[in-house]
Amino acid sequence: QVQLVESGGGLVQPGGSLRLSCAASGFTSDYSAIKWFRQAPGKEREGVSCISLTDDSTYYAVPGKGRFTISRDKAKNTVYLQMNSLKPEDTAVYSCAGGREITIAPNICSISIQTWGQGTQVTVSS
């Protein structure tokens, strides 16, 4: 059974940093990419960043460019989202999703998502 478990959320002051983790288990060959999403209260879910589990290609949506870094630890089957210079508008529930990579490049992230994590709350407030 495929599972994704996020952790690392919390309350941080503006300008602070958090590192989110997405621990994967049970992945099969159908899973070749991970995508981070976020959903703020009253807003639609939006993609944040993607990483290919095949060649480590990455993608960042505009809000996180220059501030967020996605990476992975193969040995731990974990994908990380390092978030720096956090702003109040980054407040949201952050979720990771896994699936089959279609295209991941600096300007595009297309994944056939098959599994979602439960999400972790990030609150940026003074």
Side-chain angles (χ1 to χ4, degrees):
Q1 183 180 359
V2 176
Q3 280 192 318
L4 295 171
V5 180
E6 302 96 331
S7 61
L11 174 64
V12 63
Q13 292 186 342
S17 298
L18 282 175
R19 188 177 78 160
L20 306 183
S21 299
C22 174
S25 61
F27 266 22
T28 67
S29 58
D30 291 337
Y31 290 80
S32 55
I34 294 286
K35 185 171 185 176
W36 282 99
F37 290 86
R38 69 183 185 184
Q39 187 166 20
K43 294 188 177 182
E44 291 188 357
R45 184 170 59 204
E46 62 177 352
V48 175
S49 182
C50 305
I51 187 166
S52 168
L53 304 181
T54 301
D55 63 9
D56 291 324
S57 298
T58 60
Y59 162 85
Y60 297 95
V62 169
K65 277 187 177 179
R67 299 188 297 127
F68 296 176
T69 302
I70 192 169
S71 63
R72 67 181 177 120
D73 185 325
K74 296 180 185 179
K76 295 182 178 179
N77 290 324
T78 300
V79 170
Y80 302 100
L81 185 68
Q82 177 69 41
M83 304 187 296
N84 299 328
S85 302
L86 284 163
K87 306 173 183 179
E89 52 263 44
D90 293 317
T91 295
V93 175
Y94 285 71
S95 302
C96 63
R100 180 177 59 85
E101 174 185 352
I102 299 173
T103 303
I104 295 179
N107 62 338
I108 186 170
C109 172
S110 181
I111 297 174
S112 176
I113 292 171
Q114 300 182 50
T115 301
W116 289 86
Q118 84 287 352
T120 185
Q121 176 70 45
V122 171
T123 302
V124 185
S125 175
S126 55

